[in-house]
Amino acid sequence: MPILTDATRQYRRSLMNDLMDRTRVDALVFTAADFFQWATNFHVDVQTWERPIAVCVPRNGEPFAVMNELSTHHLMMARERHHLWLDPARVTLYAEHPRVTQRQPLLAEVPSLIAEALSAAGLGGSRIGVDAAGGPLARAGALLPDAKLVPMLAQMRGLRWVKHDEEIAIMRAAAELADWVQERYRENIRPGRLVQELDYSMAALMVTEGAKRFPGENLEVMRCWTLSGPASASPHGDGASCGARINAGDGMVNIVIPRLNGLVIENERTWFCGKPSTEQARFYEVARAANEAAVGAAVTGQPVSGIDAAAQAVIEKAGCGEFIRHRTGHGMGIIGHEYPDDMAFNHRPLLANEVYSAEPGIYVYGLGGFRLDDSVVTGDTPLMLTRTPRTLAHATID
């Protein structure tokens, strides 16, 4: 069963310790949901703008947190499943409604709770790296005049580039499930079918299959989404999906995105309902070649931007540069669009075990979109996690 164990916890902790040593800070504080989950392995169950949270990782000492009471039982359950990297005894909970008995602090007191927790840990006069310069954390800093809060979001993002082997294993398992769903799409595409009904049917099949493969784990269907015909010329749809049906001759771009135990992969394909036209076939082959070039450029030591450049070169050589509408991809990890998100303009060398989406697209107004997206692990030889065939013959559903 692919899960994150103490080995991943220790790996992430070592990354944080190294960052603290390099930047001469005594602790890191995370307030964003994705960073909170990365540091604690707790699947955040609140919107942080509504119910703020914070976790502090001291350079010397165990993490502690301030959280909303809504998470009380979730914390206990996560602890019982041995998935939590945070001692519930080191969590201060605040309420969002006043009580007559067993009173807890309220939302307005969150800044003082953070300040008090930092002081109690001996950090009241320390340099503390933070992911946000505003909100409750800034107000907490105002209560600690001897402390210095150091904005470090850019450096913190770098912590999440390179994945532990356990993370790669989870992403591989999620990719295998996504490949399975893509084959179910191939079996179920037919003229006249409601596009949204197809997508929800495929999502239901995903969770049914997921229950067999990963019982008791955390599987989320982030997306099973299809754009059919001319609507697929807009990468994010035309805003009129209700009632849309598949027509014979349509090209379709679909997106299958599972999130397994807190890690996301992407698997996107272009399908044809019936034999594609000469024009459709040409654009498809260009998109396929661009995808393969992007995957092939995910080589350790080569620039991050080289992934985008390789795909763009193929598309422009084919005379289709005017149909590009977005970069080739982005990092993958805890969130669908993981760091780095500036891959088209990021020229640092790729590190081993980064994970990227390779998703160049061609979008022709009035005809449709042509996009293939694979999740790929960087290395001396790139490793594709998603394996759905990319040939035109496989993409054609007759």
Side-chain angles (χ1 to χ4, degrees), residues 92-170:
T92 300
L93 295 169
Y94 67 91
E96 57 184 64
H97 61 93
R99 297 177 177 178
V100 176
T101 60
Q102 297 180 322
R103 292 186 175 181
Q104 289 179 299
L106 297 176
L107 175 62
E109 298 172 73
V110 167
S112 62
L113 292 179
I114 295 173
E116 290 166 7
L118 291 172
S119 293
L123 297 168
S126 300
R127 281 172 50 88
I128 301 170
V130 299
D131 65 350
L137 192 53
R139 296 195 292 275
L143 299 173
L144 299 171
D146 294 329
K148 181 173 178 56
L149 302 187
V150 184
M152 293 178 55
L153 181 58
Q155 296 96 319
M156 289 174 170
R157 287 176 172 177
L159 297 172
R160 289 158 57 176
W161 292 343
V162 176
K163 306 299 187 291
H164 188 272
D165 287 345
E166 290 182 346
E167 296 176 277
I168 299 294
I170 290 174

Side-chain angles (χ1 to χ4, degrees), residues 110-247:
V110 167
S112 62
L113 292 179
I114 295 173
E116 290 166 7
L118 291 172
S119 293
L123 297 168
S126 300
R127 281 172 50 88
I128 301 170
V130 299
D131 65 350
L137 192 53
R139 296 195 292 275
L143 299 173
L144 299 171
D146 294 329
K148 181 173 178 56
L149 302 187
V150 184
M152 293 178 55
L153 181 58
Q155 296 96 319
M156 289 174 170
R157 287 176 172 177
L159 297 172
R160 289 158 57 176
W161 292 343
V162 176
K163 306 299 187 291
H164 188 272
D165 287 345
E166 290 182 346
E167 296 176 277
I168 299 294
I170 290 174
M171 297 174 88
R172 186 196 297 271
E176 290 171 353
L177 177 61
D179 284 333
W180 183 89
V181 174
Q182 286 287 18
E183 287 306 303
R184 305 293 80 74
Y185 264 104
R186 192 173 188 272
E187 295 169 353
N188 282 276
I189 290 171
R190 61 176 180 269
R193 188 163 191 177
L194 283 167
V195 178
Q196 288 184 314
E197 182 271 327
L198 170 66
D199 287 336
Y200 278 92
S201 295
M202 297 303 100
L205 289 175
M206 185 193 292
V207 296
T208 302
E209 181 66 16
K212 299 175 185 176
R213 298 186 184 202
F214 318 116
E217 301 305 320
N218 190 358
L219 172 66
E220 303 164 85
V221 180
M222 305 300 288
R223 274 201 166 182
C224 280
W225 191 48
T226 304
L227 297 169
S228 185
S232 63
S234 172
H236 292 164
D238 61 358
S241 58
C242 187
R245 294 182 182 274
I246 302 170
N247 296 311

Side-chain angles (χ1 to χ4, degrees), residues 71-84:
S71 303
T72 303
H73 293 163
H74 187 177
L75 281 167
M76 295 165 62
M77 294 169 182
R79 184 70 168 181
E80 290 167 358
R81 293 170 61 228
H82 306 290
H83 281 200
L84 183 65

